[in-house]
Amino acid sequence: MAKESPNWDGLLKWSLSHSDGTGSARNLSEEDRRWFMEAMQAQSVDVIRRMKEITLVMQTPEQVLESQGVTPQDIEDMLDELQEHVESIDNANDLHSIGGLVPLLGYLKNSHAIIRAKAAEVVSTIVQNNPKSQQMVMEANGLEPLLSNFTSDPDVTVRTKALGAISSLIRHNRPGIAAFRLANGYAALRDALSSESQRFQRKALNLIHYLLHENHSDCDVVAELGFLRIMMHLASSEDAEVLEGALQGLLELARYRLGKQDAHPSEEDDKLKQILQERIKGISEMSAEDLGAAQEERHLVDSLWLTCYNEPSSLREMGLLVLPGDDALPPDVASKHFEPPLRAWGANRNPDAKSSTKKEEKEAPLLLGPGPSSGSAS
């Protein structure tokens, strides 16, 4: 399928023709300004038109597409293009209004694994930090096929992508979290932790940490489902992110248990102590380079020891908790996943923030053309 693209060459030539690379941006003539605005508007219209064309393809029955020579790889490429378009929150929200959301969710049930996986990726991008699209996906019953793929799809990549989409869908979405809990989502997360796929395990641990952090009472559910033993096992994983995710989960459970009046010692306590001692021993034998990379692990092990045994770990005595060059705070590994760059920028943007200088208040950023010359900058 041929796809049209904006006239980037024309825009570049226009930009270069209005700049010598040293001077400040010159004032645009009315003709140039009109040309530029038409070019930018054409780009916006082109994206919506492409999204409508993709929607038409998604609405076409699979057997018809196959009869026309359209392959699963073609569909995957098309969905990849759609994912780029819906990085924009406005485009993501427009997808439903042009009729594209429902057929996209239908692709979660496609007979080809690569299409089911890619469709979940696109859904994840659409709902990331986007309450409006989260609500539209929930109202379109989009959580159900995602849960089905997450729990029972034979392809582990499809299961992993579905979990990523679920995580994006229910974050900061109380109805989504409630629906996930009612659908026995925690049991599915427990099964994911027993998977041989470390990527699947990482995504499951990240979501578990988020859910427990948001609702501490869920620690009772997690404990009843036997998460403690699984997390202790994963705390010895060779994968650093799996290990850190397991330690984070154990820390959440330990802090919750500490606040309960009826907490009693158990055989898991001795096992956990043994695991932490082994981690401390392993950390003490690390090279300087590995110690730097294990900053998060060092802080988690010490925090767990302090929470469980009410005393600092021996990492402090050995001078291994805080090293020269460490950040003031340990890195946050729980929130760095499932966030497209453009969407992250939009989420962190503060529209009410005022410029720090009068110059910033007066000068609008240039879309094209050179920046200020070195002389004007000084």
Side-chain angles (χ1 to χ4, degrees):
M1 284 174 286
K3 79 179 172 181
E4 300 177 12
S5 59
N7 184 13
W8 295 119
D9 289 339
L11 289 173
L12 177 61
K13 290 177 181 177
W14 180 90
S15 178
L16 292 175
S17 69
H18 288 75
S19 164
D20 61 7
T22 58
S24 59
R26 68 178 229 186
N27 292 330
L28 302 181
S29 68
E30 188 58 33
E31 180 181 0
D32 288 337
R33 186 184 302 277
R34 185 169 57 253
W35 183 92
F36 174 73
M37 295 305 297
E38 289 176 354
M40 297 306 294
Q41 184 179 14
Q43 160 65 1
S44 176
V45 172
D46 183 67
V47 170
I48 297 300
R49 181 172 60 80
R50 279 296 300 158
M51 289 173 59
K52 289 180 178 179
E53 292 171 352
I54 292 172
T55 294
L56 288 174
V57 175
M58 293 192 296
Q59 292 171 338
T60 304
E62 183 177 350
Q63 59 271 24
V64 175
L65 293 176
E66 290 178 352
S67 68
Q68 296 298 317
V70 178
T71 67
Q73 183 63 55
D74 292 331
I75 300 298
E76 183 186 27
D77 292 342
M78 180 191 71
L79 292 176
D80 193 56
E81 179 191 347
L82 178 62
Q83 185 177 10
E84 292 181 9
H85 295 324
V86 297
E87 280 274 8
S88 159
I89 289 182
D90 290 336
N91 290 343
N93 294 335
D94 285 342
L95 184 64
H96 182 57
S97 64
I98 65 176
L101 180 60
V102 172
L104 173 63
L105 296 176
Y107 269 171
L108 295 171
K109 304 176 182 179
N110 192 273
S111 61
H112 299 283
I114 60 171
I115 296 178
R116 297 196 300 273
K118 193 62 190 182
E121 270 194 80
V122 180
V123 173
S124 181
T125 301
I126 289 171
V127 299
Q128 180 70 48
N129 288 330
N130 189 346
K132 183 176 180 180
S133 280
Q134 285 178 337
Q135 181 180 353
M136 288 189 292
V137 170
M138 294 294 295
E139 291 175 351
N141 202 27
L143 181 59
E144 182 179 345
L146 287 172
L147 283 169
S148 176
N149 289 358
F150 165 45
T151 58
S152 58
D153 198 282
D155 189 291
V156 69
T157 300
V158 175
R159 297 182 68 191
T160 304
K161 298 294 186 181
L163 175 56
I166 291 170
S167 180
S168 296
L169 178 60
I170 69 176
R171 281 177 185 262
H172 312 297
N173 176 7
R174 291 192 176 277
I177 293 176
F180 180 79
R181 294 176 80 252
L182 287 173
N184 210 16
Y186 275 114
L189 286 172
R190 178 195 59 194
D191 295 340
L193 294 183
S194 301
S195 167
E196 295 181 359
S197 169
Q198 292 175 334
R199 188 159 181 262
F200 198 25
Q201 291 174 338
R202 289 195 295 266
K203 286 188 179 291
L205 286 166
N206 283 325
L207 182 54
I208 291 167
H209 179 254
Y210 169 78
L211 292 172
L212 296 183
H213 184 75
E214 289 293 303
N215 191 354
H216 294 296
S217 63
D218 280 1
C219 288
D220 286 327
V221 178
V222 166
E224 291 174 4
L225 289 172
F227 276 68
L228 185 59
R229 289 177 179 268
I230 300 175
M231 287 183 176
M232 286 195 295
H233 173 70
L234 294 178
S236 300
S237 172
E238 295 181 357
D239 183 274
E241 289 189 41
V242 171
L243 184 152
E244 292 167 3
L247 290 175
Q248 284 178 327
L250 290 170
L251 182 58
E252 289 288 345
L253 293 174
R255 286 172 173 169
Y256 178 73
R257 185 182 175 193
L258 187 64
K260 295 187 69 174
Q261 300 292 333
D262 56 346
H264 301 289
S266 65
E267 61 181 69
E268 280 84 3
D269 293 333
D270 293 334
K271 178 64 175 176
L272 177 59
K273 191 170 189 177
Q274 179 184 350
I275 290 171
L276 292 178
Q277 288 172 334
E278 292 174 354
R279 294 314 313 155
I280 291 173
K281 181 176 183 295
I283 291 171
S284 68
E285 297 172 350
M286 288 181 178
S287 66
E289 182 179 357
D290 290 340
L291 280 172
Q295 181 184 356
E296 175 76 357
E297 179 187 353
R298 288 184 277 119
H299 282 271
L300 287 169
V301 167
D302 182 73
S303 297
L304 253 175
W305 191 279
L306 184 62
T307 300
C308 294
Y309 311 113
N310 198 29
E311 63 179 15
S313 73
S314 57
L315 289 174
R316 294 176 185 256
E317 298 176 9
M318 293 184 285
L320 297 176
L321 181 61
V322 179
L323 303 176
D326 280 355
D327 297 332
L329 294 175
D332 177 14
V333 300
S335 61
K336 66 183 180 181
H337 300 283
F338 318 125
E339 191 157 22
L342 289 177
R343 192 62 55 79
W345 173 84
N348 294 328
R349 187 182 177 195
N350 183 0
D352 298 324
K354 296 182 178 180
S355 301
S356 58
T357 66
K358 292 182 178 180
K359 182 177 180 181
E360 290 175 345
E361 292 174 357
K362 293 179 180 179
E363 293 186 2
L366 294 175
L367 294 176
L368 291 171
S373 66
S374 56
S376 62
S378 62

